[in-house]
Amino acid sequence: MRTVVLWQDKVPEREKYSNCIWSIAFKPDGSQIIVAAGNRILVYDATDGDLVHSLKGHKDSVFCVAYSKHGKKFASGGADKQVIIWTHKAEGILKYNHNESIQCLAYNPVTQQLASGTASDLGLWSPEQKSVSKHKVNSKILAMSWTNDGLHLALGLFSGHVSIRDKFGLEKADITRQAPVWTLTWNPVPTKADPTDVLVVGCWDQTLSFYEVSGKEYGREHKISFDPCSIDFFSSGDYFVLGGSGKKVQLWSRDGIFLGDLGEREDWIWSVAVRPKQNNVAAGCNDGMVMMYQVVFSTVHGLYQDRYAYRDVMTDVIIQHLVTERKVRIRCKDYVKKIAVYRDRLAVQLPDKVVIYEVSHDDPLDMHYKNIEKIKQKFICSLLVVTTNHIILCQERKLQLFSFQGVLEREWNLDALIRYIKVVGGAPKREGLLVGLKNGHVMKIFVDNSFPVTLIKQATAVRCLDLSCRRKKLAVVDETSNLLVYDLDSQTLMYQEPNANSVAWNTEMEDMLAYSGNNMLCIKTGTFPPHMQKLQGFVVGFKGSKIFCLHYISMQTIDVPQSASLYRYIERKDFETAYKVACLGVTEADWRLLALDALQSLRFDIARKAFIRIRDMRYINLLNRITQQYGNKSSLTQEEEQLVTAQVLAFQGKYSEAAQCFAKAKQPNLAVEMYTELRKWDEAKHWAQQGEKQGGSKALTPNDPKEDSVAQGLILKQAASSEEDGDLRAAGEMYLTAGQYKKATEIFVKSGALESLIEVVRQLTPADSQLLQMAVKCFRSHQHFAFAKEAIIKLNDVGQLIALHMESHHWDEAFQLCQVHPEYAPQIYLPWAEWLTFNDRFDDALDAYKKAKRPDLSLQMIEKLTHNAVVEKRYKDAAGYFWQLAVEMVAVPPSGEGPPREEDLAKKVESFWELRRRADVYYAYSYIHAYIQEPFTTLLPENVFNCALYLWNILASSGMGQPTSKLIVQGSGGGLEDEEDEPKAASAPGTPASPGNKGHLLRDVPLGISRVYILYALAKQAQNLGAFKLARMAYDKLQVLRVPSTWQHQIDLSCLAIRSKPYSDQDDLLPVCNWCMTTNPLLRSNVDSCVNCGHPFIRTFLGFDILPLVEFQPDADITPEESLKLIAREPDRKAAANDGWRESTRGGAETLTLNDAMPDEGTDLFVQKMLDAASYFVPGEPYQPVRIDRETLLDLRPEEVYVVDFRKYSELLSMRFFRSMIPEVAIAVCGSCGHFFHQETWELEFLQSKCCPYCGSKEIDTARPVTVAGQQRRDK
């Protein structure tokens, strides 16, 4: 360690103020230094000492300065009791006062809080607060320092106390000393092993002491010979500098170990400061002198082979194993001056002694050192060397040998200055030293011999030298950077190389050395040119393939492959030396290269050892085979050498060269065998033909005796080999080439090679039906129908071809074949219907099911469609499917043999009308659902009212029982019914559902229909139209059902409001029966029929208002065809001349009737029949339409009669007749479903949808003669 004065400046005295330097502080980036001198603050450039600013802001002497951690502000304080805050540009920005002079300042490194100390108080100021927080102290504050985390502040007091406070000024600990505490500082960087904050206290009882934050003493107290005035730490925290009355600047370790003096002045040193992140120290003296020192820490280290020891933090020794990278630290607790390493010995020179350490075990990798001896003497030397039992001190020209007990045993005085010394080994107490002198001589000294031996004499001074591992060659680097290599046996210069600054022989190979220079590493082997690569530092060791390089104080281990040297020896065919070089450390590829070259050169011993190194069992087995075959021969013939070379080339993958060598050895059969094993069949055929041309025996004999050529045998063997390897396509193609169709077919079927399989099929004949069937099965499994069709056509199997078309959904082709072969038609329709169903072509599927004579499947499909439509709330679609289901069910022919039973036929008719009624219900409910769910509706309030009332009357009727279809599961509780419709209270289980119960809560409703929706729409529109009684009933029933929460409030209000209305319905809303003219209540539980005569109300299905229609039936002896003819005739009425009498024929007798009506109006026979039938009606009996005779039929006008003929669906159904009682009302009827509509609304709907809104049919009968005409055409 040494110091250099970078710059110094003498501050002159001004006016009455002293030029004493009281305080110094660095800017955190180290660029500037501020100095408190007199009444000024001086700002210096830290690099060259130029004065940048001289600030005069104080009116008296300035005692202290401090810089903030972020470097943007600094503060000053002095005898004028003021603290001034300055910017980094030397501009004063703030000032505050104390009652006493300012003794010290310190910035908090975290919060930028400024602490100021005076004789009576402690001030704390931060930029965030407007006032200064002051705390009283009982003694003058002489020094202060913050911890690195900014949480604690230490104060040094004149009374000898050290007060440790938190950042708010509250005291946490108190330390008592015997004299004023003039300086103290916290270590800025705690150690990793002990993260405790340590405070260094300098007291004027001439002691240095260390404390923790808690006030507990940390380590021992150190006595010094002067009064300490200033302490400051280096940025790393490893050292601190101390100045005081001793007039010296001293360097100490963080543990309190004195390391040396950095400088000495002529007066007291009041202030010291360390430049941040640099090894520069500034000091200020009592005489006004400011100086800057640079501390140079020299490298102290030692090296022997793979063990490297160096000094750390001036007091520790670290030993590093350069191969394993393991390190061990020895704490000497004193200043380490010199280090020496030799084998298992380590010598450390301290200021007053030399300590000897030894490795504890014999393990070469062991790193545990123990102290075995201490030489308690103070030595002065320039170099230190240790051997097994001695230490050797070098002092210019003299070498001294001391035993471990401190006894001087021998001394050598040489002719020139010693420049280099190295222990080169030897027996214990007989080790040899290699010494290089400034005069160019190289000496060898043995510790047991007083006489040095001169090895080499040269003209230039020695800088570095090394001895080879066998001690036959000496490498010397002189002062002119030349490397000179000498042969010690002949004392001659072997070669020299320029640009070298250090050299090291390889400790494991005699002819290899490494040297460095000009940032290059050079490795020289034998007489070959050196191999160079970039490297920073000095080569200090070379072991195997590892080079040890010292770069500044860091020792690096570099792995250097020996490939370059290896290649050179291989080129020279020097395999023994090449093997030695490879043993130093080369890659696996280099080992393989050496082994293969040795093998090709027939050096089997070297090749075996190289292959063993890389564990290549294939080549080891090859060598074993070769040595067993030719091992006893002293030399090989040319053909034998060719065979060996061929085997080696084959192992290397050089098959073409190997085949050439086999041919030269007259063994082409081996080439054929090689290529056969490699599956290279073309080459094998080529060499087989070459062997035949040479007249030798066939190299490959086919296994099949039918084969008469080597090529054919190779093809079959190649095919079998490809099959074994899994290359089925190639194997099949080869079998096909060889004419093995069965084997080729099996392989192509197994591998799924369809393109190749069809080629086989095209070469087969129809007689090969088994192979063709196998191919067809494969094509169909892979869904390649084109190839399958081609194979089936070759088979001429029509049934299988039709099945293929059905499987591939080529229905047109299948039906074309059926036209030629009708016997296959029945097997097509059912799969076709299923395919149509899958593709949503349900109408076509129904026709297909009919053609397939499977009405049961048709019904199942319609049932599924119906169920899905209900579940998906497509109620109009559901109505259409229900109607279609009714039609299909009644059209199903009876099953079984013999005539059907009457009860079965009656049940079928009943099912038809039940399903038609279900269709009506879902059709009507579709309007209610749309009215509730959709935001806008085109329905008039009267339409919604009529629709809801119709639904409620139908569902409340006893006639709405369980469905006959198995599609819809319905029962008490609702099954799939909406949860919102569940009643809040239910009847007891097992109670039979009476008609009254059904009319009350409608427990039995079809799937998907919501009672809440119906009642809500009914109540709302009934209230609007004045049917208050009906509305009250609907609201009452809603109270016992579960309704949506958003409706509940509105329903409750409506319930209260309806009670203020009269308990009656308006008369114009009450329906009147068109038959018996009875006024009916709005609510009826008789399937929407008259409560008196039972005549059903005929409603339009586009508004659900009641139409003026009365149903009638001709007498039993009148056939439907006769009835239509009678209705179609114009009536022949004979009326009296305006006298009120009317002549007519009734019952075969002429009658005369007096008519009270207008003279021009005649008596209506139909009305008379209707009134007569009404007068004979007995309540409780089943409803029967009006029966009329032929005379009444003739009396009817055709335009007033509507006929619905259901016989077109089944002969079990009848024709229904209706008469319009108000001919002025235009009515339309659907010829498919038999529902009625207002003519005007129907035409509007037809224009929009082009079909019946109920069943989707486009056939509409708007006039009766058309129907009659249709019937007449049917009769013909």
Side-chain angles (χ1 to χ4, degrees):
M1 179 185 67
R2 58 189 179 87
T3 57
V4 177
V5 178
L6 297 179
W7 56 267
Q8 59 183 2
D9 183 42
K10 176 77 172 181
V11 179
E13 293 187 0
R14 293 184 177 87
E15 303 174 357
K16 59 180 179 178
Y17 303 106
S18 169
N19 62 349
C20 176
I21 308 301
W22 294 108
S23 180
I24 294 176
F26 274 98
K27 191 175 181 179
D29 62 1
S31 60
Q32 292 181 350
I33 180 174
I34 53 175
V35 177
N39 65 338
R40 296 174 183 267
I41 298 99
L42 305 180
V43 181
Y44 288 94
D45 186 296
T47 303
D48 52 17
D50 291 341
L51 182 63
V52 180
H53 299 287
S54 178
L55 307 177
K56 184 178 181 181
H58 291 273
K59 300 177 181 178
D60 207 337
S61 296
V62 181
F63 291 149
C64 50
V65 290
Y67 231 115
S68 63
K69 187 71 174 180
H70 56 59
K72 296 181 179 180
K73 299 175 184 178
F74 66 88
S76 62
D80 60 353
K81 308 176 184 179
Q82 289 186 346
V83 176
I84 301 178
I85 309 298
W86 308 80
T87 67
H88 65 285
K89 297 180 180 180
E91 299 172 350
I93 58 174
L94 190 142
K95 180 188 298 184
Y96 65 87
N97 299 328
H98 278 269
N99 295 327
E100 303 287 344
S101 61
I102 313 301
Q103 300 296 320
C104 52
L105 295 170
Y107 267 105
N108 189 312
V110 177
T111 65
Q112 306 305 317
Q113 187 180 27
L114 177 63
S116 53
T118 68
S120 59
D121 58 11
L122 165 67
L124 296 174
W125 173 85
S126 63
E128 295 81 12
Q129 65 187 37
K130 296 181 179 179
S131 59
V132 180
S133 175
K134 296 182 179 180
H135 305 268
K136 292 292 184 181
V137 293
N138 53 15
S139 181
K140 180 186 289 188
I141 302 174
L142 300 177
M144 60 174 56
S145 177
W146 289 94
T147 57
N148 197 46
D149 57 10
L151 298 179
H152 296 89
L153 175 66
L155 306 178
L157 306 180
F158 186 80
S159 61
H161 288 257
V162 177
S163 177
I164 299 178
R165 305 188 175 219
D166 61 15
K167 63 180 180 179
F168 303 108
L170 301 179
E171 188 173 73
K172 297 297 181 181
D174 182 71
I175 303 169
T176 303
R177 302 293 303 170
Q178 303 301 321
V181 178
W182 197 271
T183 180
L184 50 79
T185 302
W186 294 97
N187 191 327
V189 183
T191 61
K192 294 181 179 179
D194 185 7
T196 305
D197 288 319
V198 178
L199 177 67
V200 183
V201 178
C203 183
W204 274 18
D205 58 358
Q206 297 188 351
T207 59
L208 280 178
S209 52
F210 301 85
Y211 296 93
E212 298 178 1
V213 175
S214 61
K216 180 181 177 181
E217 191 169 5
Y218 185 87
R220 65 183 183 88
E221 181 179 286
H222 298 272
K223 191 71 176 177
I224 56 178
S225 60
F226 59 91
D227 296 329
C229 296
S230 181
I231 298 174
D232 195 21
F233 270 92
F234 280 71
S235 299
S236 63
D238 294 329
Y239 317 105
F240 66 87
V241 292
L242 173 65
S245 62
K247 304 178 184 179
K248 296 179 180 179
V249 179
Q250 295 182 344
L251 180 68
W252 293 69
S253 73
R254 69 187 309 151
D255 298 323
I257 299 173
F258 175 67
L259 302 178
D261 296 330
L262 300 182
E264 185 174 1
R265 307 306 302 174
E266 298 177 354
D267 208 339
W268 283 32
I269 298 175
W270 285 107
S271 179
V272 292
V274 179
R275 191 173 183 180
K277 300 179 182 179
Q278 297 189 36
N279 296 332
N280 294 350
V281 178
C285 299
N286 189 60
D287 58 1
M289 184 66 70
V290 180
M291 70 288 298
M292 180 75 75
Y293 296 102
Q294 181 179 4
V295 184
V296 181
F297 295 97
S298 57
T299 302
V300 176
H301 60 127
L303 173 72
Y304 183 80
Q305 293 185 355
D306 53 9
R307 291 182 183 255
Y308 174 64
Y310 61 94
R311 181 177 66 183
D312 187 45
V313 296
M314 306 294 285
T315 59
D316 296 349
V317 176
I318 295 179
I319 302 96
Q320 177 183 358
H321 197 288
L322 298 177
V323 177
T324 64
E325 296 294 334
R326 292 183 57 193
K327 294 182 180 181
V328 63
R329 180 184 293 269
I330 299 177
R331 301 186 183 277
C332 300
K333 298 182 180 180
D334 206 344
Y335 177 45
V336 177
K337 300 180 69 176
K338 296 287 188 301
I339 298 174
V341 182
Y342 176 72
R343 292 182 181 172
D344 60 347
R345 294 288 192 268
L346 170 67
V348 180
Q349 182 186 6
L350 302 178
D352 55 353
K353 59 187 173 182
V354 176
V355 183
I356 309 298
Y357 296 90
E358 180 186 29
V359 177
S360 302
H361 304 89
D362 295 334
D363 184 4
L365 301 179
D366 184 60
M367 297 292 289
H368 296 85
Y369 283 83
K370 63 179 180 180
N371 185 357
I372 61 172
E373 200 65 61
K374 292 182 181 178
I375 306 175
K376 296 185 178 180
Q377 294 184 30
K378 186 175 183 180
F379 296 106
I380 298 176
C381 62
S382 58
L383 294 173
L384 174 67
V385 177
V386 64
T387 62
T388 305
N389 296 288
H390 299 86
I391 62 171
I392 299 156
L393 305 181
C394 175
Q395 300 174 1
E396 296 184 351
R397 301 184 179 186
K398 182 169 63 175
L399 292 176
Q400 293 179 322
L401 178 70
F402 286 88
S403 67
F404 286 168
Q405 290 73 34
V407 178
L408 178 62
E409 296 185 356
R410 192 165 284 102
E411 187 174 281
W412 297 272
N413 290 301
L414 304 178
D415 297 336
L417 291 175
I418 299 173
R419 297 293 302 273
Y420 193 88
I421 182 171
K422 182 177 183 178
V423 182
V424 293
K429 297 185 180 181
R430 299 183 62 187
E431 292 88 352
L433 305 178
L434 202 61
V435 181
L437 304 182
K438 188 176 183 180
N439 60 3
H441 292 192
V442 178
M443 316 289 291
K444 190 172 185 180
I445 299 175
F446 294 94
V447 297
D448 61 341
N449 192 334
S450 301
F451 300 99
V453 178
T454 302
L455 297 179
I456 295 297
K457 292 182 180 180
Q458 61 181 27
T460 55
V462 176
R463 177 187 294 178
C464 178
L465 54 84
D466 195 17
L467 197 63
S468 65
C469 60
R470 294 184 181 178
R471 293 174 172 78
K472 294 184 178 181
K473 298 177 183 179
L474 177 67
V476 180
V477 177
D478 62 10
E479 282 190 341
T480 61
S481 299
N482 289 324
L483 169 65
L484 301 99
V485 179
Y486 296 93
D487 187 338
L488 295 181
D489 292 337
S490 62
Q491 298 287 316
T492 59
L493 177 66
M494 299 177 61
Y495 58 84
Q496 66 179 15
E497 299 288 344
N499 302 321
N501 53 26
S502 64
V503 65
W505 285 98
N506 195 316
T507 58
E508 298 180 3
M509 186 171 181
E510 175 72 15
D511 294 332
M512 185 178 294
L513 62 79
Y515 62 93
S516 60
N518 290 342
N519 293 327
M520 296 295 294
L521 169 67
C522 302
I523 301 175
K524 185 172 179 62
T525 304
T527 58
F528 297 117
H531 171 72
M532 295 186 293
Q533 68 182 56
K534 288 187 175 295
L535 175 74
Q536 291 184 341
F538 300 89
V539 172
V540 295
F542 192 7
K543 183 178 182 180
S545 62
K546 297 183 181 295
I547 289 179
F548 308 131
C549 171
L550 179 65
H551 185 54
Y552 294 105
I553 62 172
S554 174
M555 183 67 73
Q556 300 175 357
T557 301
I558 301 173
D559 288 317
V560 180
Q562 304 293 342
S563 303
S565 302
L566 176 67
Y567 299 156
R568 290 165 177 169
Y569 283 114
I570 291 176
E571 290 175 2
R572 190 184 287 181
K573 302 299 181 181
D574 187 355
F575 292 105
E576 288 84 359
T577 309
Y579 179 76
K580 294 178 182 179
V581 173
C583 290
L584 298 179
V586 293
T587 63
E588 183 176 342
D590 294 336
W591 275 111
R592 187 175 299 278
L593 175 65
L594 172 61
L596 293 175
D597 282 358
L599 184 59
Q600 290 180 358
S601 300
L602 305 181
R603 292 298 306 272
F604 300 139
D605 54 340
I606 300 295
R608 177 185 294 276
K609 291 190 289 185
F611 283 126
I612 290 175
R613 282 275 189 168
I614 59 178
R615 300 180 181 180
D616 193 331
M617 296 304 301
R618 293 173 60 252
Y619 279 101
I620 293 174
N621 293 333
L622 173 64
L623 283 168
N624 292 336
R625 189 163 62 247
I626 292 174
T627 53
Q628 288 177 2
Q629 187 175 359
Y630 306 108
N632 297 328
K633 297 183 178 181
S634 57
S635 61
L636 301 178
T637 65
Q638 184 177 1
E639 292 183 357
E640 291 173 342
E641 289 183 359
Q642 290 293 337
L643 286 176
V644 172
T645 304
Q647 295 181 58
V648 174
L649 291 172
F651 266 76
Q652 295 180 28
K654 300 176 181 179
Y655 305 115
S656 179
E657 294 88 337
Q660 295 291 340
C661 292
F662 281 130
K664 291 178 182 178
K666 299 180 180 179
Q667 294 289 340
N669 60 318
L670 296 179
V672 175
E673 182 180 354
M674 176 186 69
Y675 281 120
T676 301
E677 292 178 357
L678 293 171
R679 310 294 192 262
K680 294 187 176 183
W681 306 104
D682 295 338
E683 291 84 349
K685 294 173 186 176
H686 169 74
W687 286 107
Q689 294 172 359
Q690 293 295 325
E692 291 178 353
K693 290 179 181 179
Q694 293 179 7
S697 60
K698 291 185 179 180
L700 181 64
T701 302
N703 295 328
D704 193 348
K706 296 181 181 179
E707 301 293 341
D708 56 356
S709 68
V710 175
Q712 187 75 4
L714 285 174
I715 289 175
L716 291 177
K717 191 164 185 178
Q718 179 182 359
S721 174
S722 299
E723 186 177 2
E724 291 176 1
D725 294 342
D727 190 359
L728 299 180
R729 180 184 292 273
E733 290 176 353
M734 283 180 274
Y735 279 124
L736 179 60
T737 303
Q740 299 287 335
Y741 296 126
K742 182 177 180 181
K743 193 67 177 176
T745 302
E746 292 175 352
I747 289 179
F748 288 142
V749 168
K750 182 179 179 180
S751 62
L754 305 183
E755 298 287 344
S756 302
L757 182 58
I758 194 63
E759 294 297 330
V760 178
V761 169
R762 289 165 183 166
Q763 296 185 29
L764 295 175
T765 63
D768 300 321
S769 59
Q770 183 179 0
L771 298 181
L772 289 174
Q773 289 288 1
M774 189 185 304
V776 169
K777 185 178 179 180
C778 178
F779 291 141
R780 294 180 71 171
S781 65
H782 289 82
Q783 297 184 352
H784 201 302
F785 301 107
F787 289 169
K789 178 180 178 181
E790 185 176 348
I792 294 173
I793 290 174
K794 179 165 283 192
L795 277 171
N796 196 22
D797 189 344
V798 178
Q800 193 172 357
L801 183 58
I802 291 177
L804 176 68
H805 288 319
M806 291 191 296
E807 184 180 346
S808 60
H809 302 154
H810 296 162
W811 301 104
D812 294 338
E813 298 180 11
F815 283 118
Q816 287 176 5
L817 283 174
C818 286
Q819 292 176 1
V820 182
H821 304 279
E823 63 273 13
Y824 295 103
Q827 70 181 21
I828 297 180
Y829 286 107
L830 185 58
W832 185 42
E834 293 175 351
W835 181 80
L836 291 172
T837 303
F838 181 78
N839 289 275
D840 299 337
R841 295 172 58 181
F842 303 112
D843 294 337
D844 296 335
L846 290 175
D847 295 336
Y849 280 127
K850 291 177 182 178
K851 293 179 180 179
K853 298 181 181 180
R854 291 299 302 273
D856 55 334
L857 297 179
S858 175
L859 289 177
Q860 289 180 10
M861 184 189 72
I862 299 175
E863 287 179 357
K864 291 179 182 179
L865 294 175
T866 306
H867 180 73
N868 292 340
V870 172
V871 172
E872 296 171 6
K873 298 182 179 181
R874 296 182 288 109
Y875 297 109
K876 273 196 176 181
D877 294 342
Y881 289 133
F882 263 116
W883 167 247
Q884 196 170 2
L885 183 62
V887 171
E888 293 294 330
M889 183 175 291
V890 77
V892 172
S895 60
E897 297 180 356
R901 297 182 302 172
E902 292 294 334
E903 55 269 23
D904 292 339
L905 298 178
K907 187 176 181 180
K908 182 179 292 188
V909 174
E910 181 183 355
S911 298
F912 171 80
W913 293 111
E914 177 67 22
L915 291 172
R916 186 173 186 268
R917 188 179 296 113
R918 286 302 175 91
D920 296 346
V921 169
Y922 279 110
Y923 176 80
Y925 184 71
S926 66
Y927 290 99
I928 298 299
H929 185 267
Y931 169 73
I932 296 296
Q933 293 290 341
E934 296 178 2
F936 303 102
T937 180
T938 59
L939 295 177
L940 298 176
E942 294 83 358
N943 299 143
V944 178
F945 173 76
N946 293 331
C947 184
L949 185 61
Y950 165 75
L951 275 173
W952 189 259
N953 287 335
I954 290 291
L955 296 176
S957 303
S958 59
M960 197 63 187
Q962 299 292 331
T964 57
S965 173
K966 295 181 180 180
L967 172 65
I968 304 299
V969 180
Q970 174 190 353
S972 180
L976 295 176
E977 190 177 346
D978 293 339
E979 289 186 0
E980 63 182 13
D981 296 352
E982 288 296 325
K984 298 178 182 176
S987 60
T991 303
S994 64
N997 286 339
K998 290 185 178 182
H1000 178 59
L1001 283 180
L1002 301 187
R1003 295 187 181 279
D1004 299 329
V1005 295
L1007 174 68
I1009 291 181
S1010 171
R1011 292 165 292 183
V1012 171
Y1013 282 13
I1014 299 173
L1015 286 172
Y1016 183 76
L1018 183 61
K1020 189 173 181 180
Q1021 299 304 329
Q1023 187 176 3
N1024 292 337
L1025 297 175
F1028 302 119
K1029 180 180 178 181
L1030 177 62
R1032 181 176 296 186
M1033 179 279 302
Y1035 282 126
D1036 290 342
K1037 292 186 177 183
L1038 282 173
Q1039 292 295 328
V1040 297
L1041 294 176
R1042 184 180 302 160
V1043 299
S1045 57
T1046 55
W1047 293 4
Q1048 189 64 53
H1049 181 67
Q1050 182 180 358
I1051 291 173
D1052 293 341
L1053 291 179
S1054 300
C1055 284
L1056 294 176
I1058 201 64
R1059 296 185 185 278
S1060 65
K1061 304 297 181 180
Y1063 190 68
S1064 62
D1065 298 327
Q1066 290 189 11
D1067 294 338
D1068 56 349
L1069 297 176
L1070 301 178
V1072 178
C1073 178
N1074 291 301
W1075 184 2
C1076 64
M1077 301 303 172
T1078 302
T1079 300
N1080 285 258
L1082 292 175
L1083 291 179
R1084 301 174 300 279
S1085 57
N1086 57 356
V1087 198
D1088 197 33
S1089 302
C1090 177
V1091 295
N1092 180 40
C1093 63
H1095 185 279
F1097 289 101
I1098 310 301
R1099 296 180 179 268
T1100 172
F1101 268 67
L1102 279 176
F1104 290 92
D1105 50 335
I1106 299 173
L1107 295 173
L1109 294 175
V1110 175
E1111 184 179 4
F1112 66 91
Q1113 284 291 337
D1115 287 337
D1117 59 342
I1118 305 175
T1119 62
E1121 289 76 10
E1122 184 183 358
S1123 300
L1124 292 175
K1125 292 178 180 179
L1126 293 173
I1127 293 172
R1129 294 180 183 178
E1130 289 295 330
D1132 184 15
R1133 293 186 175 90
K1134 298 178 180 179
N1138 300 330
D1139 56 358
W1141 292 92
R1142 181 172 180 268
E1143 295 179 3
S1144 62
T1145 302
R1146 182 178 299 176
E1150 294 183 356
T1151 60
L1152 188 64
T1153 304
L1154 179 63
N1155 190 358
D1156 295 336
M1158 295 297 296
D1160 56 346
E1161 293 183 357
T1163 301
D1164 193 335
L1165 296 180
F1166 180 82
V1167 175
Q1168 187 64 36
K1169 287 285 186 181
M1170 184 179 66
L1171 295 177
D1172 291 345
S1175 63
Y1176 299 146
F1177 178 75
V1178 179
E1181 292 185 357
Y1183 160 74
Q1184 290 292 334
V1186 180
R1187 288 286 180 175
I1188 60 176
D1189 53 14
R1190 291 179 175 85
E1191 183 181 1
T1192 308
L1193 289 173
L1194 285 172
D1195 189 59
L1196 292 175
R1197 292 189 175 92
E1199 64 271 11
E1200 296 177 358
V1201 179
Y1202 296 87
V1203 180
V1204 179
D1205 189 1
F1206 290 108
R1207 295 179 303 169
K1208 58 185 175 183
Y1209 301 122
S1210 174
E1211 295 297 334
L1212 300 176
L1213 302 177
S1214 61
M1215 183 182 294
R1216 299 181 67 181
F1217 297 86
F1218 299 89
R1219 182 190 174 184
S1220 175
M1221 303 308 296
I1222 306 176
E1224 292 80 6
V1225 178
I1227 298 173
V1229 61
C1230 176
S1232 296
C1233 60
H1235 282 295
F1236 294 88
F1237 307 91
H1238 284 295
Q1239 181 73 30
E1240 184 178 356
T1241 56
W1242 155 251
E1243 291 176 352
L1244 179 61
E1245 182 70 21
F1246 188 80
L1247 288 175
Q1248 294 177 354
S1249 59
K1250 304 297 183 183
C1251 63
C1252 174
Y1254 181 91
C1255 65
S1257 173
K1258 298 183 179 181
E1259 297 179 3
I1260 289 294
D1261 293 334
T1262 57
R1264 261 31 57 206
V1266 176
T1267 303
V1268 175
Q1271 181 63 34
Q1272 291 174 351
R1273 286 194 299 271
R1274 185 164 56 251
D1275 294 341
K1276 292 179 181 179

